């Protein structure tokens, strides 16, 4: 039994007059490692924002875990494309990870009295942050200032923040855009490992990397071309799902693959 | 120097210096990490309109400047949420229009208004008991706000989109920070004047940010530096008979220079 985690049906979206997404339809099953590729301005981040309920489609429907995106937020972890962060911002890794904490968790641990001592996290909270950081291999950095970390390390912390509430779906918008090839491979290995427990939906520019890991590849350039590989990855097979624009997909693969 | 402390107005000046420097230090930290310095500048200058209102209609200055500053804070907050990309132009507009309203209203008011300079550069020796009360209430409000909502404030300051996704009302907190900074600016006008208030908000904060690992620590250090610079400035201005607001700012700038030299030497060792 594999239920649908993401269901996108005939979605259209435009910013004012500018059409960003046209008739997008696809779904993602539980534990399916899904990658979205496409050119700059193709609408990838727009699609992600629709899935988070930050934007509403003009027509069509977006369902996450059978819910409206806004109601599904607590089951979704999100790693933004590029946070326009001030590297001098005084904040530790622990603080950042705690931002992703479950809401109920936050309420329970913060009575009005405790709120008067806001910098002390409870033991439960610290334990939770520590174990989440362990998953991404950053537990030794828990007290470091985030601006002092490397780009790849910071991205791992962002992933930990997204994992903190134990999501069922993890959405990452170009998690490796500022990271060297080695770091990129490490992040994708990490995602592969996390994929055992949750569904991964990752936006990337790099088909070569993605094809090694993804079971489903969606190419978006206003319209979507879906390439479903079942349980395999492109690395294992080149069998194409016939009823999506196969020709375009293959052209796209030829064009982008090194 | 010591006998000066027995005068009522000197005591008031010192107490006002303490209250205002701590408020401005804390709020300055929030303004800087939220990149609202230009916004706060707009609010500070537009509150000159409130001074004009007070003179023209003969209403209390504290009331009219507070109302004017809070109104511009709300307007700026609304504009920065719905017209993010053009916010610079709008702030420039509010900044200038507020000042223009003030100037025209003063022109229209009969009589002599010789003490206008004191609003531009501060008049700490003229602080009254009721001013002290207002400053105390504001400081307590700020302290409660940053303690009770520390996590929310931290989250929206660092990454407001993510904070919204986690159910935090980003717009609300953004607006509250702006309103509190508007009120802090108004009380600081007494101490350093509206021209210099932004320097008082940003210089201690600049040093504090470099030395801090958390926003909480940054607020504490920034309040501490603001306090030290203000007290030093007040003492120097008394000894050499200088304008207190300007002396406080120059003391702060000197402190920043000292910090710069120390950190440069440290980085070379
Ligand atoms: N806030 C916005 N207002 C108006 N137009 C926008 C906005 N955000 C995106 N767009 C437009 O929508 C289109 C899709 O943008 P989107 O950010 O989704 O692309 P993307 O695939 O994520 O690109 P990139 O690879 O550069 O991240 C682009 O043409 C862009 O100009
Ligand atoms: Mg994008």
């Amino acid at each position: 039994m594999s239920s649908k985690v993401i269901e996108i049906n005939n979605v259209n979206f435009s910013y004012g007059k500018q059409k960003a997404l046209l008739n997008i339809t696809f779904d993602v099953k539980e534990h399916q490692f899904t990658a979205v590729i496409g050119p700059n301005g193709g609408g990838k981040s727009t699609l992600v924002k629709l899935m988070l309920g930050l934007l509403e489609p003009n027509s069509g429907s977006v369902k996450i875990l059978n819910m409206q995106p806004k109601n599904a937020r607590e089951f979704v972890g999100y790693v933004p494309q590029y946070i326009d962060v001030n590297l001098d911002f005084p904040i530790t890794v622990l603080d950042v990870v705690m931002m992703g904490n479950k809401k109920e968790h936050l309420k329970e641990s913060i009575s009005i009295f405790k709120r008067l001592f806001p910098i002390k996290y409870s033991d439960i909270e610290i334990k939770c942050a520590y174990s989440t950081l362990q998953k991404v291999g950053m537990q030794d950095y828990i007290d470091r200032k985030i601006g002092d970390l490397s780009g790849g390390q910071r991205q791992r912390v962002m992933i930990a923040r997204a994992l903190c509430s134990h999501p069922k779906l993890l959405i990452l918008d170009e998690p490796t855009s500022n990271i060297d090839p080695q770091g990129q491979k490490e992040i994708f290995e990490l995602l592969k490992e996390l994929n055992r427990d949750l569904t991964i939906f990752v936006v990337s520019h790099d088909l070569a990397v993605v094809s090694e890991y993804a079971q489903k590849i969606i190419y978006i350039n206003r319209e979507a071309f879906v390439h479903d590989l079942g349980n395999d990855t492109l690395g294992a097979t080149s069998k194409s799902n016939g009823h999506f624009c196969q020709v375009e997909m293959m052209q796209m693969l030829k064009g982008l693959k090194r | 120097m010591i006998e000066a402390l027995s005068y009522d107005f000197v005591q008031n000046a010192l107490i006002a210096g303490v209250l205002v420097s701590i408020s401005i230090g804390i709020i300055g930290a929030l303004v800087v990490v939220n990149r609202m310095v230009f916004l706060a500048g707009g609010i500070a200058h537009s509150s000159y309109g409130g001074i004009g209102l007070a003179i023209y209609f003969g209403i209390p200055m504290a009331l009219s400047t507070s109302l004017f500053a809070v109104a511009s804070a709300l307007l700026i907050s609304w504009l920065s949420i719905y017209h993010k990309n053009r916010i610079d132009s709008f702030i420039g507009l509010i900044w200038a229009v507020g000042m223009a309203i003030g100037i025209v209203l003063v022109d229209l008011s009969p009589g002599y208004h010789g003490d206008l300079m004191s609003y531009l550069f501060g008049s700490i020796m003229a602080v009254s008991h009721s001013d002290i009360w207002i400053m105390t209430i504001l400081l307590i409000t700020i302290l409660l706000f940053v303690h009770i909502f520390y996590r929310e404030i931290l989250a929206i300051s660092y990454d407001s989109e993510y904070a919204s996704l986690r159910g935090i009302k980003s717009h609300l907190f953004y607006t509250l920070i702006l309103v509190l900074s508007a009120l802090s600016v108004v009380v600081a006008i007494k101490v350093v004047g509206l021209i210099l208030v932004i320097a008082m908000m940003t210089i201690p904060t600049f040093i504090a940010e470099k030395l801090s690992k958390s926003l909480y620590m940054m607020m504490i250090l920034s309040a501490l530096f603001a306090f030290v610079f203000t007290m030093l400035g007040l003492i120097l201005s008394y000894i050499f008979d200088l304008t207190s607001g300007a002396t406080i700012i120059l003391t702060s700038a000197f402190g920043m220079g000292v910090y710069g030299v120390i950190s440069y030497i440290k980085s070379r060792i």
Side-chain angles (χ1 to χ4, degrees):
Chain A
M1 185 209 84
S2 58
S3 52
K4 306 253 170 77
V5 177
I6 304 171
E7 284 172 275
I8 310 265
N9 215 325
N10 257 313
V11 163
N12 286 281
F13 182 84
S14 43
Y15 292 99
K17 280 200 176 142
Q18 191 187 4
K19 292 187 166 57
L21 293 173
L22 289 178
N23 270 322
I24 307 292
T25 299
F26 67 87
D27 52 39
V28 172
K29 296 187 198 76
E30 213 173 354
H31 294 291
Q32 199 168 29
F33 195 126
T34 306
V36 175
I37 56 171
N40 289 129
K44 306 181 295 297
S45 297
T46 304
L47 177 64
V48 165
K49 289 188 174 152
L50 286 164
M51 286 165 49
L52 292 165
L54 289 169
L55 298 173
E56 296 282 338
N58 300 131
S59 66
S61 75
V62 179
K63 283 250 166 76
I64 305 295
L65 296 158
N66 246 324
M67 285 176 268
Q68 290 300 317
K70 274 191 180 156
N71 303 331
R73 277 177 187 170
E74 59 179 306
F75 306 106
V76 176
Y78 170 50
V79 180
Q81 174 165 19
Y82 167 67
I83 324 173
D84 172 28
V85 279
N86 159 8
L87 288 185
D88 275 336
F89 195 108
I91 189 169
T92 60
V93 169
L94 175 62
D95 286 328
V96 172
V97 175
M98 291 312 296
M99 269 174 211
N101 212 350
K102 261 205 158 71
K103 251 209 294 190
E104 315 87 84
H105 197 151
L106 211 88
K107 270 189 202 139
E108 165 204 342
S109 61
I110 305 192
S111 66
I112 195 81
F113 176 73
K114 281 209 176 123
R115 274 183 175 268
L116 293 176
F117 303 95
I119 41 170
K120 271 193 77 74
Y121 290 109
S122 69
D123 290 345
I124 315 172
E125 289 175 312
I126 293 177
K127 214 178 276 170
C128 165
Y130 189 86
S131 66
T132 317
L133 282 167
Q134 252 174 340
K135 285 189 201 155
V136 300
M138 288 296 292
Q139 68 278 16
D140 294 341
Y141 295 83
I142 191 161
D143 283 324
R144 290 278 288 275
K145 192 167 156 178
I146 191 117
D148 294 344
L149 305 182
S150 74
Q153 289 173 326
R154 215 169 327 152
Q155 201 54 267
R156 280 168 185 270
V157 174
M158 294 306 159
I159 295 173
R161 174 175 78 168
L163 292 174
C164 204
S165 59
H166 304 287
K168 295 197 164 90
L169 166 65
L170 181 61
I171 300 176
L172 307 97
D173 197 348
E174 300 200 28
T176 56
S177 49
N178 289 319
I179 297 177
D180 63 25
Q182 177 59 28
Q184 190 170 20
K185 194 160 171 52
E186 282 172 21
I187 296 260
F188 272 90
E189 283 298 325
L190 170 66
L191 294 182
K192 188 174 165 184
E193 226 177 282
L194 295 170
N195 187 220
R196 277 191 251 138
D197 302 320
L198 43 78
T199 309
I200 302 274
F201 186 91
V202 58
V203 173
S204 172
H205 261 125
D206 197 337
L207 179 65
V209 180
V210 155
S211 60
E212 208 178 302
Y213 295 91
Q215 295 154 349
K216 179 167 207 144
I217 298 177
I218 301 167
Y219 172 77
I220 288 202
N221 189 4
R222 274 202 277 170
E223 295 168 272
F225 308 99
V226 180
H227 191 74
D228 199 334
L229 296 136
N231 291 325
D232 296 323
T233 60
L234 198 64
T237 173
S238 58
K239 170 186 70 156
S240 184
N241 179 339
H243 52 271
F244 287 98
C245 309
Q246 199 191 65
V247 180
E248 296 229 31
M249 187 71 201
M250 291 325 282
Q251 269 171 355
M252 183 265 302
L253 294 183
K254 260 185 225 143
L256 288 172
K257 212 169 172 183
R258 283 184 204 133
Chain B
M1 185 74 215
I2 301 294
E3 79 273 19
L5 287 175
S6 61
Y7 294 118
D8 213 27
F9 68 90
V10 176
Q11 289 173 7
N12 280 351
L14 285 178
I15 297 172
V18 174
L19 295 170
V20 167
S21 61
I22 296 175
S23 302
I24 285 283
I26 296 172
I27 285 295
L30 297 185
V31 165
V32 166
V33 296
N34 279 287
R35 302 168 194 220
M36 293 173 174
V37 174
F38 190 55
L39 283 65
I43 293 170
H45 287 79
S46 72
S47 68
Y48 192 79
I51 293 171
L53 280 182
I55 291 175
Y56 187 75
F57 293 105
I59 48 180
M61 192 76 70
L63 183 69
S64 67
T65 45
S66 303
L67 286 179
F68 214 91
V70 169
S72 1
L74 293 175
L75 182 61
I76 286 177
S77 159
W78 183 80
L79 288 170
S80 64
I81 288 161
Y82 295 102
H83 300 276
K84 209 171 182 158
N85 300 328
R86 279 286 150 268
I87 189 64
D88 297 15
S89 320
F90 283 119
I91 290 173
L93 188 73
I94 291 170
W95 183 310
V97 168
M99 289 204 85
I101 290 175
I103 291 167
V104 168
L105 284 177
V106 171
D107 285 346
L108 294 175
S109 310
Y112 172 67
H113 312 292
D115 58 346
L116 271 181
M117 278 298 272
S118 72
Y119 298 105
L120 298 181
F121 297 103
S123 55
I124 196 168
M125 293 302 166
V127 170
S128 67
H129 282 292
S130 62
D131 288 332
I132 300 265
W133 276 111
I134 295 173
M135 291 166 182
T136 310
I137 292 168
L138 180 64
L139 178 57
I140 293 173
T141 310
I142 290 172
L143 285 173
L144 286 175
F145 174 69
V146 299
H147 278 87
I148 294 177
F149 298 111
Y150 178 70
R151 290 195 187 184
E152 285 85 351
I153 293 168
L154 180 67
I156 71 128
S157 307
Y158 184 66
D159 186 350
S160 65
E161 184 186 79
Y162 196 85
S164 310
L165 285 175
R166 305 299 309 164
I168 297 173
K169 304 219 170 342
S170 306
H171 294 347
L172 176 68
F173 282 99
Y174 189 84
T175 307
L176 285 174
I177 294 173
L178 269 181
V179 167
L180 284 176
S181 60
L183 292 171
S184 308
V185 160
V186 169
V187 300
I189 287 177
K190 274 275 172 188
V191 177
V192 285
L194 66 83
I195 304 275
L196 302 178
V197 62
I198 293 306
M200 194 190 191
M201 237 180 205
T202 47
I203 297 175
T205 310
F206 175 87
I207 309 174
E209 183 173 54
K210 303 272 180 230
L211 297 176
S212 306
K213 222 169 74 170
S214 72
L215 180 60
Y216 196 79
M217 191 168 160
M218 178 174 168
M219 292 191 288
I220 292 178
L221 286 181
S222 148
L224 184 76
F225 289 131
F227 167 76
V228 170
F229 295 149
T230 304
M231 288 302 124
L232 274 177
L234 280 180
I235 293 169
L236 290 173
S237 74
Y238 183 83
I239 295 175
F240 299 105
D241 193 21
L242 302 168
T243 307
S244 56
T247 317
I248 291 171
I249 299 305
L250 289 181
T251 312
S252 311
F254 182 75
M256 188 163 155
V258 170
Y259 167 79
V261 170
I262 292 176
S263 59
Y264 176 75
I265 293 172
K266 256 187 162 168
S267 71
R268 300 302 298 268
I269 302 176

